[in-house]
Amino acid sequence: MQIFPCPFCGPRDETEFQYIGEPKARPEPAEEVSDAAWAEYLYFNANPKGASREIWLHFTCMESFAMTRDTETNAVIGSEVLRPGS
Amino acid sequence: MSGFRFAEGGALDRGRTLAFTFDGKPYLGIEGDSVASALLANGVRVVGRSFKYRRPRGIWGAWTEEPNAIVDIARAGRTTPNLRATTEKLENDIAVRSVNSGPSAAENRAGLIDRLASLMPAGYYYKTFIWPRWEKYEPAIRAMAGLGKLDPDNRPPAMNPQFNARCDVLVIGGGPAGLAAASAAARSDRVVFVIDDRAELGGQLLHRGGTIEGGDWREWAESVRTAVGAAGGRVMTATTAYGVYDHNLVCAWERRAPQPDALWRIRPKKIVVAAGAIERPLVVPDNDRPGVMSADAALVYLRRYGVLVGRRIAVATNNDSAYAVAEALSEAGAEVEMFDLRQDPPETKLRVTRMAEVEGVVGSTGVEGVRVGGRARVADALLLSGGWTPTVHLLAQGRGKLRYDDRLAALVPAARVEGTTVAGAANGAFTLDAALAQGHAAGGGEGAAPNAPAGRYRITAAWPKPDAPGRRWVDFASDVTLKDVALAAREGYVSVEHLKRYTTLGMATDQGKTSNVNGLAAMAALTGRAIDETGTTTYRPPFTPVPMGVIAGRRRGALVNPLKRLPLEAEHRADGAQMREYGGWLRPAWHGPDEPERAIQREAARARDAVALFDGSSLGKIEVIGPDAARLADFNSFNRLSTLKPGRIRYGFLLSESGVVFDDGVTLRLTEDRFLVSCSSGHTDAVLMRLELWRQDRFDPRRVVVHDATAQWATLTVTGPRSRELVAALNLDVALDDESLPHMSFATGAFEGGPLRVARVSFTGDRAYELSVPASRARSLRARIKEKLPAFGGGLMGIEALMILRAEKGYVVVGKDTDGTTMPHDLGFRGPREARRDEYVGKRSLFLPIAAERGRKEFVGLAVPAGAAPLMTGAHLVQGAGKARRSLGYVTSSYMSPTLKRPIALGLVEDGFARLGQTLAVYHLGAERRATVAGLCALDPEGKRLNA
């Protein structure tokens, strides 16, 4: 069981968290987005080997944040607040 | 007969005799015995039959590495299967049964199998039992496979506690290295946990003894225990650290009989693995005969249990450690002969033959002699010592790498692993002084390590050679021979991972503790590679089998996947509700003891004829609040919600970003800046999460908040033509005329001092009122409604009846009538896609080519010919026959309608809307019937009943 650092609550068991996805900018407005660009947003992930910056949700406080992990070793590199001024 | 009990010696309570049976025969043992030592003391040789060939097998080892002596033990009428006789404490009145044998280990019906061994090499089952059909052989093979027998009556209560702990240093192993590490760490004021899987600390010291710091090792060990305690740590014996997991989590199984065993999850800052080493067999011909044992184990039986394993003992070795064993056995009165593979064995008084290789064992059901140098010598036991394999599992589970050390002929830890140090025999330090020194260093000790006389360990590698003659066992537990390894190599399975899976070497309950290294060394030799190159298979937890109960703890039955419970559950049950699971909630399915079909039809009919009450409390109620609430509500929903007026209700869909219908439900606008999103009972958590994520990602969180109010409110729904009459009779002080309260609107009021909401929403297609009050008032509201029901010819209704009523109207149930591709226009809802200019979740996907394709599955009704039975849910509508048969979709909902007195069904059908009126074939379990595509709504398509 891994320990993840919620930037608000501190280190917690991984069972308190949900993986949301890779940070992606949502292509908008719909009228100007090509099929390919939208498909990439939906389905294509960088899935890096090594350091990976990911969006996670901590259920206990319901805050989403960014966590960087090493996907090879499962080591946690760091976590950061997403919203400025939170 | 070979083993026997000594008059004295051993760590036994000689005053206490225990009685037990083995394969039905009675024997006596002594308090302190293991099952294995008691069997040996009684001269029992054959304790089981090998897995594949059913060869008689005896006890090989003395602890968890034991591959042969697997037994079922019945205690107080309950049998636990597949235990190791070497680790199970002997208790009074237990019945021990060998596994894989019938009628007993000593006699076996399937003994002939061994004669067919040449037909059953490794992997033979991939090439045999094929003609005419595998299924013909399967039952017999299943009956023969497996080891012990499960006792269905053995259901221990779910009472195993689980403890979480932190410490500075976790020392795994309480032998000399572990104790030295613990001592050093504790004396520098660190909180140390020491874990050892035996009942006492000491490890090898328990049977090999040792002088430490000038005195008996026990005094030193006691001082370490005291130091650990004084620094705030713990010493846990009879505890197996069975796995290392991510972020340095160590799980341990603590045996605490008579209390229930416990699971420990320990998060140490540093781990010291001092788990010792396991003795390897020499791979000599017939090395699996009963009476062939590990040399070290023989010393354990002598010193710990006062049992001599034979009277004329042959010891074959390639290293120095077997000599202490041989000398002790000789001193105890056995005639001992040493056969050393090496040219220069150590100095000893024993008779030693140098450069001696065992060529075979005489005796088929037990050792009667040993053949060396062409001659047979009489012996009743053959002890093998092929060297020591460091127990590196807990390092390797944490991805520590190994390297082959030529001098030690062992795989030892290679590079350092963050946070973990290995010390002692586990690190290749096979002498007491070296183990103490390494442990001391691993514990961060300064100054001199605890001292002991210098020891010496030399070994000459004796890895199995390819083409060596005779049947030589590499893995006793899986019945794998050297020839099998050669076969695997010939067939191209040269990677160790393939060797393992093809031959099953290392896959038995011992997980290759005595066989993996011999196996990989053999493969290395066969393929001309170095041992390092060949590598090891992946180490995975648990180190030894752990009872499932320990891991499950108290999670059993209702605690495994707890269902959500309604505030009114007790009241429902009191009224005879049959509770079932719906979307993670326990809800009334129908009421009464009557046959379910009848009860359900009756409840549905009554709801249509008069009025019925059902509990809708489980429906999600998520409030979206704030100046930007409308903007978030709009973005999250397929249907515009910002145009909804306060006091009104709108039905709509939530989509995923791929445009697929994720949930449906109604949204109420409570005020200008307050919405109540009501989603399906089973989707509440997911909808809440989506709203919250979008709120944080896309909106200013100070201008909108999301709140899950599901548990705070209870909702009771009154539905039916007489529903308004009934609600009026409740005297709720809310205007109920249709002008004040039209369909799809709500009114607020008060009930017993708390808020009340009366919403006109219908899932049945009839006039209906959803009455919501705080959960604390639910009971009295329900009582008030229930009291009035008989006056209006009404009754209680469960979910099953509700499902029929909504199906009569063609109302969709997301997840049942939709699948992972269903978009709103497949359900007939096109409006927002055409009209909306603003962004919303899933918008772009609705304009992808696939969304506009012909052949999409569309939601339609399905009618059957008069008198026909209801369609089977899940049956496919098909086109074509035989190999050309193609699915056009499937039946998603199907019921007998009490209102229409005929079956009704709904389904997803390719181009369903264009097929209206068409009759299609429906295929189910080999039979075909016909169904006609019809409109979704089978009852009251104009919706007049909503306002009737």
Side-chain angles (χ1 to χ4, degrees):
Chain A
M1 169 134 66
Q2 302 172 77
I3 301 268
F4 290 150
C6 169
F8 304 95
C9 305
R12 296 297 182 95
D13 282 348
E14 64 176 277
T15 49
E16 293 185 23
F17 297 83
Q18 168 89 26
Y19 173 73
I20 301 303
E22 296 192 349
K24 288 182 183 178
R26 187 174 191 272
E28 300 180 15
E31 293 78 5
E32 289 165 33
V33 177
S34 69
D35 290 344
W38 187 249
E40 206 174 303
Y41 165 69
L42 284 182
Y43 305 118
F44 282 61
N45 294 310
N47 204 20
K49 178 175 181 177
S52 168
R53 186 162 178 272
E54 305 163 343
I55 308 295
W56 286 79
L57 176 71
H58 185 210
F59 280 134
T60 312
C61 67
M62 281 308 254
E63 290 290 335
S64 59
F65 63 97
M67 176 159 61
T68 308
R69 305 184 315 112
D70 185 319
T71 57
E72 266 193 284
T73 63
N74 280 347
V76 173
I77 295 167
S79 68
E80 45 178 303
V81 160
L82 282 170
R83 296 196 309 271
S86 306
Chain B
M1 288 284 284
S2 71
F4 63 97
R5 179 94 66 191
F6 240 40
E8 49 186 40
L12 303 169
D13 178 358
R14 296 254 179 185
R16 291 203 57 208
T17 307
L18 305 174
F20 70 104
T21 64
F22 176 66
D23 279 355
K25 282 175 73 171
Y27 295 100
L28 294 176
I30 302 177
E31 173 72 39
D33 260 334
S34 65
V35 171
S37 67
L39 289 171
L40 284 169
N42 281 281
V44 174
R45 276 239 201 168
V46 179
V47 296
R49 291 271 162 172
S50 70
F51 185 61
K52 235 172 35 171
Y53 305 121
R54 302 296 202 267
R55 288 166 66 90
R57 287 284 167 78
I59 294 163
W60 158 263
W63 195 234
T64 56
E65 76 283 3
E66 175 59 30
N68 291 336
I70 312 289
V71 293
D72 293 349
I73 299 183
R75 297 174 176 105
R78 299 261 180 273
T79 305
T80 307
N82 293 353
L83 299 167
R84 256 164 263 281
T86 52
T87 56
E88 291 304 305
K89 196 166 166 342
L90 186 72
E91 294 162 68
N92 202 32
D93 275 342
I94 59 176
V96 181
R97 183 84 179 71
S98 62
V99 304
N100 214 35
S101 62
S104 69
E107 327 154 31
N108 189 56
R109 282 184 219 110
L112 285 173
I113 291 179
D114 194 35
R115 296 187 205 233
L116 304 170
S118 57
L119 298 175
M120 298 167 61
Y124 73 95
Y125 32 82
Y126 298 124
K127 306 164 184 164
T128 50
F129 307 121
I130 296 171
W131 183 88
R133 284 180 335 130
W134 152 248
E135 288 81 4
K136 278 184 121 42
Y137 305 97
E138 193 181 350
I141 290 177
R142 279 196 187 281
M144 280 179 33
L147 297 169
K149 276 194 161 51
L150 262 184
D151 174 7
D153 289 329
N154 190 3
R155 290 165 175 266
M159 271 180 3
N160 299 85
Q162 306 199 333
F163 301 112
N164 299 317
R166 291 177 195 279
C167 61
D168 294 322
V169 182
L170 173 64
V171 178
I172 299 171
L179 289 174
S183 175
R187 286 174 220 275
S188 58
D189 252 335
R190 281 180 290 165
V191 175
V192 182
F193 279 26
V194 182
I195 294 186
D196 193 285
D197 62 354
R198 285 174 208 274
E200 295 170 65
L201 292 175
Q204 285 269 308
L205 295 164
L206 285 164
H207 63 283
R208 290 204 179 233
T211 305
I212 301 180
E213 295 284 66
D216 183 70
W217 69 268
R218 281 173 208 274
E219 285 171 36
W220 174 77
E222 255 320 290
S223 75
V224 175
R225 183 196 276 272
T226 309
V228 166
R234 249 180 196 273
V235 170
M236 295 199 283
T237 50
T239 304
T240 305
Y242 64 80
V244 175
Y245 301 91
D246 287 313
H247 300 185
N248 253 19
L249 174 71
V250 178
C251 286
W253 163 36
E254 183 189 13
R255 294 172 283 291
R256 313 187 309 158
Q259 287 182 288
D261 292 352
L263 172 71
W264 285 79
R265 290 194 198 94
I266 305 168
R267 196 79 68 172
K269 294 199 186 117
K270 269 195 52 154
I271 300 174
V272 175
V273 176
I278 296 173
E279 192 171 50
R280 267 191 312 270
L282 286 169
V283 183
V284 300
D286 307 314
N287 57 341
D288 76 321
R289 296 284 183 216
V292 177
M293 295 181 66
S294 146
D296 191 61
L299 187 60
V300 174
Y301 287 116
L302 176 66
R303 291 259 165 83
R304 304 286 299 152
Y305 301 106
V307 173
L308 252 184
V309 297
R311 284 172 219 272
R312 304 191 60 168
I313 304 176
V315 182
T317 183
N318 65 347
N319 68 86
D320 291 351
S321 71
Y323 282 80
V325 177
E327 279 159 16
L329 294 172
S330 173
E331 230 175 290
E335 258 188 63
V336 180
E337 226 189 307
M338 288 297 283
F339 299 103
D340 199 318
L341 277 160
R342 301 171 292 175
Q343 203 170 41
D344 58 336
E347 285 275 323
T348 177
K349 292 197 208 74
L350 303 164
R351 204 162 72 237
V352 182
T353 310
R354 290 189 242 158
M355 315 276 279
E357 243 186 83
V358 173
E359 288 142 17
V361 170
V362 181
S364 57
T365 55
V367 175
E368 284 159 32
V370 168
R371 237 193 316 274
V372 181
R375 263 190 345 128
R377 296 115 192 285
V378 177
D380 60 358
L382 169 62
L383 305 183
L384 300 178
S385 178
W388 291 85
T389 302
T391 306
V392 294
H393 302 57
L394 292 174
L395 171 81
Q397 284 174 20
R399 304 198 203 151
K401 299 267 177 292
L402 304 173
R403 64 173 178 85
Y404 180 65
D405 186 312
D406 253 310
R407 199 179 47 88
L408 298 169
L411 283 161
V412 295
R416 283 191 50 79
V417 170
E418 183 74 45
T420 304
T421 318
V422 190
N427 198 31
F430 297 131
T431 60
L432 179 56
D433 57 318
L436 290 168
Q438 282 197 5
H440 181 76
E446 286 150 10
N451 88 355
R456 189 165 82 146
Y457 176 80
R458 293 169 313 142
I459 179 172
T460 300
W463 301 119
K465 295 192 191 47
D467 296 334
R471 281 176 96 187
R472 301 171 186 246
W473 262 260
V474 178
D475 185 337
F476 302 131
S478 295
D479 240 355
V480 175
T481 63
L482 184 56
K483 288 203 169 74
D484 291 326
V485 180
L487 172 66
R490 271 206 307 282
E491 305 219 340
Y493 297 103
V494 297
S495 129
V496 275
E497 297 286 4
H498 280 150
L499 166 65
K500 169 181 174 176
R501 287 155 180 83
Y502 188 67
T503 62
T504 74
L505 192 159
M507 291 182 75
T509 65
D510 67 338
Q511 289 289 283
K513 288 182 176 63
T514 54
S515 57
N516 279 342
V517 178
N518 275 334
L520 76 91
M523 181 53 84
L526 281 158
T527 54
R529 286 175 290 174
I531 288 184
D532 256 338
E533 238 184 293
T534 313
T536 57
T537 54
T538 305
Y539 290 84
R540 297 185 177 93
F543 174 67
T544 50
V546 178
M548 299 291 273
V550 169
I551 295 172
R554 297 192 166 96
R555 286 168 300 162
R556 189 170 310 170
L559 289 182
V560 172
N561 225 350
L563 293 175
K564 295 184 184 176
R565 317 292 277 260
L566 296 166
L568 290 166
E569 181 180 323
E571 285 71 23
H572 292 309
R573 285 187 189 274
D575 282 334
Q578 300 295 324
M579 308 293 283
R580 296 289 183 273
E581 183 194 341
Y582 294 94
W585 286 83
L586 193 63
R587 305 177 71 180
W590 68 90
H591 300 75
D594 208 359
E595 200 252 304
E597 253 323 290
R598 260 220 296 268
I600 294 165
Q601 292 283 304
R602 198 170 48 233
E603 286 181 9
R606 189 166 53 202
R608 282 273 184 246
D609 290 339
V611 60
L613 166 66
F614 73 88
D615 188 338
S617 303
S618 57
L619 259 69
K621 306 158 200 87
I622 299 179
E623 299 199 20
V624 183
I625 307 164
D628 277 354
R631 294 182 57 223
L632 173 55
D634 268 355
F635 182 74
N636 191 54
S637 162
F638 176 59
N639 311 70
R640 286 289 294 279
L641 293 169
S642 53
T643 52
L644 191 59
K645 293 192 182 32
R648 297 294 203 184
I649 305 174
R650 183 167 294 165
Y651 172 76
F653 296 112
L654 300 180
L655 309 181
S656 67
E657 281 276 55
S658 56
V660 168
V661 175
F662 171 77
D663 199 19
D664 72 335
V666 297
T667 300
L668 283 64
R669 191 168 198 160
L670 302 175
T671 65
E672 194 57 39
D673 58 5
R674 201 174 179 120
F675 291 79
L676 182 75
V677 175
S678 178
C679 50
S680 317
S681 311
H683 292 143
T684 311
D685 293 333
V687 171
L688 176 69
M689 193 172 87
R690 287 160 44 108
L691 277 164
E692 190 54 54
L693 285 170
W694 286 121
R695 166 194 172 244
Q696 292 176 29
D697 183 52
R698 196 180 174 85
F699 296 86
D700 183 345
R702 294 165 301 176
R703 291 176 57 83
V704 58
V705 293
V706 179
H707 169 61
D708 180 3
T710 306
Q712 293 166 247
W713 295 87
T715 302
L716 293 167
T717 306
V718 178
T719 173
R722 303 198 72 179
S723 56
R724 181 168 54 184
E725 289 175 66
L726 191 154
V727 176
L730 299 175
N731 292 324
L732 294 174
D733 197 20
V734 167
L736 294 171
D737 57 284
D738 282 0
E739 221 188 284
S740 309
L741 192 63
H743 182 61
M744 297 302 264
S745 72
F746 66 92
T748 53
F751 178 75
E752 293 195 354
L756 164 74
R757 196 163 49 230
V758 180
R760 271 196 69 191
V761 186
S762 176
F763 192 44
T764 57
D766 284 326
R767 176 183 285 273
Y769 295 82
E770 281 186 2
L771 308 170
S772 297
V773 291
S776 54
R777 309 276 196 302
R779 202 186 302 168
S780 52
L781 178 62
R782 184 179 185 275
R784 205 189 278 196
I785 300 171
K786 198 183 138 194
E787 198 199 2
K788 301 285 184 218
L789 278 171
F792 300 97
L796 302 172
M797 182 164 76
I799 304 305
E800 293 298 317
L802 178 65
M803 289 293 271
I804 298 178
L805 298 177
R806 66 92 204 176
E808 288 174 344
K809 298 295 298 175
Y811 291 165
V812 68
V813 171
V814 173
K816 179 173 168 54
D817 301 307
T818 68
D819 66 17
T821 65
T822 313
M823 294 181 166
H825 51 278
D826 301 323
L827 301 173
F829 290 82
R830 274 168 238 283
R833 179 173 175 266
E834 314 300 331
R836 284 183 75 171
R837 298 275 155 263
D838 54 327
E839 277 300 315
Y840 55 91
V841 175
K843 178 182 184 183
R844 183 60 184 82
S845 293
L846 298 178
F847 295 93
L848 288 172
I850 196 170
E853 257 176 24
R854 301 258 55 215
R856 288 189 63 84
K857 291 205 293 292
E858 293 166 341
F859 188 43
V860 292
L862 294 165
V864 293
L871 292 169
M872 200 63 179
T873 306
H876 281 253
L877 295 114
V878 295
Q879 187 178 71
K883 285 220 156 74
R885 185 184 284 127
R886 187 172 84 76
S887 170
L888 295 173
Y890 44 90
V891 178
T892 59
S893 295
S894 175
Y895 312 94
M896 180 54 99
S897 160
T899 319
L900 300 160
K901 304 211 183 349
R902 61 171 171 83
I904 51 161
L906 308 168
L908 286 169
V909 180
E910 217 178 81
D911 293 322
F913 301 147
R915 289 182 191 270
L916 230 52
Q918 271 185 34
T919 300
L920 300 170
V922 183
Y923 180 87
H924 179 69
L925 290 183
E928 269 194 28
R929 354 176 357 184
R930 322 283 292 159
T932 307
V933 179
L936 276 170
C937 188
L939 174 73
D940 175 39
E942 294 98 49
K944 293 209 180 80
R945 295 180 66 106
L946 285 169
N947 286 302

